[in-house]
Amino acid sequence: MSSGDDFSQQPTSVLSGVEDDGADDTPRQRGLGLGLLVLRLALGATMGAHGLQHLFGLFGGPGIGGFARVLETFGYHKQTTLLSWITGVTEVAGGVLVIVGLFTPLAAAGLLGVAANAVYAKFHGGFFERQGQGFELELLLAAAALSLLFTGAGPISLERNTPWRKRPLPLGLVSLLLAAAAAVVVIVLTR
């Protein structure tokens, strides 16, 4: 280290956020923004498409009635039609919000809650996907949503000037608690 090193541009804490220095034009920030955009597009499109399958039967999906019957095979026996609607709307709305980068921590929390319930429901079938029984895809989707809870949408998003973009950790923690609470409520009330 030379005496001329300037550390004033470094974040004050590892937990304070990835964009404390305010320099979105640095190569590091452009790469981070692009990486988060790719993650958001993949997660949002996948979850949104699942929601369209569940709600409207698009892309060969079961629609609301069929999805309610699928939920019954996974051990959900109460209010399956209502749960089908809630799941589908959460997947579509959360997917769209994640894609455009708006209210990302809250949208990711919704997607995390859905994916966590899917992991829980499929856990007995083993890790690897075979005939709809494995939970590897749902675990990967949950991990992507969990990542976005704490990073936020990044600089290539509609929430470019929101307070949680600069310090995503506080809202990320609140969103994580909301996702966990929602997942537990769904399991307790519908199984």
Side-chain angles (χ1 to χ4, degrees):
M1 279 208 255
S2 70
S3 61
D5 289 340
D6 181 12
F7 293 102
S8 64
Q9 296 297 320
Q10 297 298 319
T12 57
S13 165
V14 172
L15 299 178
S16 67
V18 294
E19 298 164 297
D20 282 352
D21 61 1
D24 289 345
D25 294 342
T26 66
R28 176 178 161 268
Q29 293 301 327
R30 285 191 302 265
L32 177 66
L34 185 58
L36 287 172
L37 176 63
V38 169
L39 178 64
R40 289 187 359 245
L41 291 174
L43 176 65
T46 301
M47 294 297 278
H50 278 225
L52 292 173
Q53 284 184 311
H54 298 154
L55 289 175
F56 307 113
L58 298 178
F59 312 116
I64 289 293
F67 186 49
R69 288 187 293 280
V70 169
L71 290 173
E72 289 175 0
T73 67
F74 285 113
Y76 296 92
H77 300 294
K78 301 175 200 163
Q79 304 293 328
T80 54
T81 301
L82 177 62
L83 183 58
S84 298
W85 277 103
I86 291 169
T87 301
V89 168
T90 301
E91 289 172 325
V92 171
V96 168
L97 289 173
V98 162
I99 286 172
V100 299
L102 186 61
F103 304 115
T104 303
L106 296 174
L111 299 180
L112 176 59
V114 168
N117 267 286
V119 168
Y120 179 81
K122 292 182 164 189
F123 193 78
H124 70 281
F127 179 73
F128 294 105
E129 187 74 33
R130 21 178 219 289
Q131 299 173 343
Q133 294 300 311
F135 63 91
E136 61 184 305
L137 173 62
E138 290 80 5
L139 185 63
L140 184 59
L141 293 171
L146 182 63
S147 297
L148 288 175
L149 277 179
F150 295 110
T151 62
I156 307 171
S157 68
L158 292 180
E159 60 187 24
R160 184 167 177 81
N161 295 316
T162 58
W164 59 85
R165 180 170 171 267
K166 292 293 183 186
R167 299 204 184 271
L169 184 63
L171 185 57
L173 290 173
V174 170
S175 298
L176 178 60
L177 290 174
L178 289 173
V184 169
V185 165
V186 166
I187 290 168
V188 168
L189 294 181
T190 62
R191 289 184 69 90

